[in-house]
């Protein structure tokens, strides 16, 4: 017994020796330095400025490389003829490297703006999936949308993955074509372009340069025409005219808006502890745009003071990143991965909270956050959430019966090859409503092929 105690004491002493060494040597040295005025003078004058220069160099390295690769400058002439492929390279730098989480938050936050137009929110609520009271159904439908929207931005243009992603979205829109207007889809797609621009310029570590804003416009102009919109703006000026006309006619309060928005708020707050949900909702409402608050009757929940505090914190974090934080060493992974069985898995995106289509790994099954989620009863990647993969053509809202579902999937597989082969500006035929909501004859012919565009008698008469 004495031998055992002696052994334990020896082991304890050996374990304590490093702590004793640190406490007697390193810690006093650090304490003496930080309490010495000379140290701070040396640090502020000779160490901090070079470090900030290093941060600035590496922070701007990737955007400068893109400008050098494509010859973009501050002169409009250098980028006015930007191709969709070039615009996607600029977009991917923002989404994967320079502003990954602000970029994602920016376009996802615009889902709330879509809930300001009853012509859209009523269709979504009536479909029953997005706003289902069963979180597994609503989260699954929301996850499908997030996955498809992310991949249509990240997958290489004219690749099979990009084309089948667009074809799946188009098939869904064709299904609801009798109640969906082309202008509504156009307005929705431009929300996803403007969201990242707005939020990056507001709280990002740097503001977007002119060529980056132009790249976002070029890319979403191409996406809009690939999604079959019957009129697509050719310039930013035409886009702004269209947005104002559409908002004037369609943005207004409706109970459908509130149901749609509340469903999204519930999904965002799903993994937050119950006692924090009211505070979380208060914070989310505080950062929403004024039109969203008005069209959803959130004004009573809005706190201007809280909004100021939150934006002060977010902007301060952006400034800290700009001057003191080195950039990412690797990109944020957004691209889906293909499996040998023909299915795909997706990365674990920020929203929604249920990890649909995420492959099971040791970390997401038994890591610290996985264990915490298990203890709290929250979902982790599992076969019932599609961890074994999902086929592109099966994503999105499911049909009423298996036969109709198979027909829809077959149409997706038949339609996507044409999106791979056609040139820029190709507009597929989608069964949208015949008449336009906001496009008039003075807005010009727009961008893209004339086939499947609005007929003259479908335009708004002034």
């Amino acid at each position: 017994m004495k031998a055992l105690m002696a052994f334990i004491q020896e082991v304890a002493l050996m374990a304590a020796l490093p702590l004793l060494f640190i406490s007697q040597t390193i810690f006093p040295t650090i304490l003496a330095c930080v309490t010495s005025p000379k140290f701070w003078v040396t640090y502020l004058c000779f160490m901090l400025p070079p470090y900030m220069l290093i941060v600035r160099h590496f922070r701007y390295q990737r955007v400068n490389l893109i400008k050098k690769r494509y010859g973009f400058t501050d002169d409009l002439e250098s980028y006015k003829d930007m191709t969709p492929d070039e615009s996607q390279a600029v977009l991917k730098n923002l989404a994967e490297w320079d502003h990954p989480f602000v970029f994602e938050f920016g376009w996802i936050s615009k889902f709330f703006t879509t809930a300001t137009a009853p012509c859209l929110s009523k269709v979504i609520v009536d479909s029953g999936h997005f706003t289902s009271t069963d979180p597994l159904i609503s989260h699954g439908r929301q996850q499908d949308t997030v996955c498809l929207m992310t991949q249509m931005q990240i997958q290489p243009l004219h690749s099979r993955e990009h084309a089948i992603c667009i074809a799946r979205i188009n098939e869904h829109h064709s299904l609801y074509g009798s109640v969906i207007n082309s202008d509504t889809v156009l307005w929705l797609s431009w929300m996803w372009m403007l969201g990242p621009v707005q939020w990056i310029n507001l709280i990002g570590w740097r503001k977007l340069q002119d060529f980056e804003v132009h790249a976002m416009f070029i890319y979403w102009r191409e996406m809009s025409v690939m999604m079959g919109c019957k009129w697509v703006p050719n310039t930013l000026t035409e886009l702004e005219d269209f947005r104002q006309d559409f908002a004037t006619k369609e943005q207004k309060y409706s109970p459908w808006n509130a149901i749609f928005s509340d469903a999204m708020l519930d999904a965002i707050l799903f993994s937050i502890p119950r006692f924090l949900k009211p505070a979380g909702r208060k914070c989310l409402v505080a950062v929403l745009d004024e039109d969203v608050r008005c069209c959803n009757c959130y004004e009573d929940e809005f706190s201007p003071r809280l909004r100021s505090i939150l934006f002060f914190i977010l902007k301060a974090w952006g400034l800290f990143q700009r001057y003191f934080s080195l950039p990412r060493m690797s990109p944020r992974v957004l691209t889906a991965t293909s499996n040998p069985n023909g299915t795909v898995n997706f990365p674990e995106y920020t929203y929604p909270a249920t990890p649909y289509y995420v492959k099971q790994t040791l970390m997401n099954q038994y890591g610290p956050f996985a264990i915490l989620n298990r203890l709290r009863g929250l979902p982790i990647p599992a076969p019932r959430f599609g961890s074994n993969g999902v086929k592109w053509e099966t994503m999105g809202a499911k049909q009423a019966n298996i036969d109709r579902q198979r027909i829809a999937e077959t149409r997706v597989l038949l339609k996507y090859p044409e999106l791979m082969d056609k040139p820029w500006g190709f507009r597929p035929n989608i069964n949208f409503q015949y008449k336009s909501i906001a496009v008039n004859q003075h807005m010009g012919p727009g961008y893209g092929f004339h086939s499947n565009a609005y007929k003259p008698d479908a335009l708004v008469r002034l």
Side-chain angles (χ1 to χ4, degrees):
M1 188 66 178
K2 289 182 178 180
L4 179 61
M5 292 299 297
F7 176 74
I8 293 175
Q9 288 177 357
E10 186 175 349
V11 171
L13 180 61
M14 292 176 62
L17 280 176
L19 297 176
L20 185 64
F21 174 76
I22 292 173
S23 66
Q24 296 299 316
T25 57
I26 298 177
F27 182 73
T29 302
I30 295 175
L31 186 62
C33 288
V34 298
T35 56
S36 170
K38 291 183 179 180
F39 168 80
W40 289 109
V41 171
T42 303
Y43 176 75
L44 294 174
C45 294
F46 300 104
M47 297 174 65
L48 185 60
Y51 172 75
M52 293 174 67
L53 288 174
I54 292 172
V55 169
R56 178 178 175 80
H57 170 75
F58 286 108
R59 274 276 166 196
Y60 284 87
Q61 187 177 44
R62 293 197 62 83
V63 67
N64 289 335
L65 286 174
I66 288 177
K67 292 172 72 173
K68 183 177 180 181
R69 182 187 307 162
Y70 298 112
F72 300 149
T73 66
D74 294 334
D75 184 5
L76 175 62
E77 291 298 317
S78 67
Y79 58 81
K80 68 179 180 66
D81 296 322
M82 184 185 297
T83 67
D85 282 325
E86 293 171 344
S87 71
Q88 188 182 41
V90 176
L91 181 148
K92 289 185 69 174
N93 177 60
L94 298 174
E96 296 179 331
W97 289 93
D98 279 4
H99 302 277
F101 293 102
V102 179
F103 186 96
E104 182 187 45
F105 177 79
W107 74 263
I108 289 180
S109 70
K110 286 302 175 181
F111 273 113
F112 287 99
T113 304
T114 66
T116 62
C119 62
L120 178 61
S121 57
K122 184 179 186 303
V123 175
I124 293 174
V125 172
D126 287 346
S127 70
H129 300 99
F130 221 101
T131 57
S132 172
T133 54
D134 184 347
L136 295 184
I137 296 176
S138 60
H139 289 190
R141 179 66 185 89
Q142 292 163 20
Q143 187 66 73
D144 285 350
T145 299
V146 170
C147 288
L148 291 172
M149 292 303 304
T150 301
Q151 297 309 306
M152 73 180 288
Q153 298 177 76
I154 298 300
Q155 294 288 351
L157 290 168
H158 285 168
S159 67
R160 178 186 181 276
E161 291 76 14
H162 188 273
I164 201 169
C165 178
I166 297 290
R168 182 62 192 92
I169 295 172
N170 290 348
E171 171 62 27
H172 183 68
H173 288 164
S174 288
L175 175 66
Y176 292 97
S178 62
V179 291
I180 293 180
N181 194 276
S182 168
D183 295 356
T184 306
V185 176
L186 178 66
W187 179 69
L188 183 62
S189 66
W190 288 110
M191 290 299 103
W192 290 321
M193 171 257 175
L194 293 168
V197 173
Q198 172 190 344
W199 281 95
I200 290 173
N201 285 340
L202 192 61
I203 63 172
W205 63 266
R206 68 172 175 87
K207 294 186 182 299
L208 295 183
Q209 300 183 32
D210 289 343
F211 83 91
E212 291 174 307
V213 177
H214 186 74
M216 294 287 285
F217 171 78
I218 294 297
Y219 190 79
W220 279 104
R221 184 179 70 177
E222 196 63 41
M223 291 305 97
S224 298
V225 78
M226 288 182 73
M227 287 192 291
C229 293
K230 294 178 176 292
W231 181 88
V232 176
N234 218 358
T235 65
L236 279 167
T237 302
E238 290 181 355
L239 169 61
E240 191 57 32
D241 291 342
F242 166 80
R243 287 182 60 239
Q244 289 181 1
D245 286 353
F246 186 91
T248 300
K249 293 181 178 181
E250 297 297 329
Q251 278 192 298
K252 52 193 171 186
Y253 169 75
S254 168
W256 308 111
N257 295 345
I259 295 173
F260 184 20
S261 287
D262 285 344
M264 289 187 287
L265 286 173
D266 291 343
I268 293 173
L269 300 172
F270 177 74
S271 59
I272 295 177
R274 183 174 299 177
F275 72 94
L276 290 177
K277 288 184 187 293
R281 181 183 175 97
K282 196 84 172 175
C283 290
L284 286 172
V285 171
V287 301
L288 294 177
D289 292 334
E290 183 179 4
D291 57 345
V292 177
R293 301 196 306 269
C294 292
C295 292
N296 288 274
C297 274
Y298 288 157
E299 287 294 346
D300 292 340
E301 303 179 59
F302 174 65
S303 169
R305 180 174 298 178
L306 179 59
R307 181 181 177 90
S308 300
I309 293 172
L310 291 173
F311 277 107
F312 175 81
I313 295 171
L314 292 171
K315 290 178 180 180
W317 174 242
L319 289 174
F320 176 82
Q321 287 183 299
R322 176 172 182 166
Y323 293 110
F324 302 109
S325 177
L326 288 168
R328 301 174 65 91
M329 300 299 291
S330 60
R332 186 186 182 197
V333 178
L334 296 173
T335 308
T337 55
S338 299
N339 300 318
N341 62 358
T343 62
V344 292
N345 284 105
F346 294 89
E348 193 162 356
Y349 301 127
T350 306
Y351 166 84
T354 304
Y356 276 92
Y357 317 130
V358 177
K359 183 176 289 188
Q360 290 177 294
T361 65
L362 184 64
M363 186 58 67
N364 66 31
Q365 295 297 301
Y366 304 104
F369 290 106
I371 293 174
L372 183 62
N373 284 342
R374 287 176 184 270
L375 293 173
R376 295 181 55 206
L378 295 176
I380 61 173
R384 68 181 180 133
F385 298 127
S387 63
N388 296 326
V390 61
K391 291 186 176 181
W392 289 102
E393 63 271 20
T394 65
M395 299 184 69
K398 300 301 184 284
Q399 301 300 306
N401 58 66
I402 191 169
D403 291 333
R404 291 177 62 184
Q405 179 67 24
R406 286 174 179 169
I407 292 172
E409 293 173 10
T410 301
R411 281 200 294 259
V412 172
L413 296 175
L414 291 175
K415 288 289 185 180
Y416 85 83
E418 70 176 1
L419 295 172
M420 295 176 61
D421 301 333
K422 298 296 183 180
W424 306 127
F426 169 71
R427 178 184 286 109
N429 183 32
I430 310 297
N431 298 324
F432 291 127
Q433 294 173 342
Y434 184 76
K435 291 280 189 178
S436 170
I437 293 175
V439 180
N440 60 66
Q441 62 268 31
H442 298 302
M443 287 186 175
Y447 172 77
F449 287 16
H450 293 300
S451 58
N452 301 320
Y454 278 128
K455 303 298 182 185
D457 63 332
L459 299 178
V460 176
R461 294 186 180 275
L462 298 178

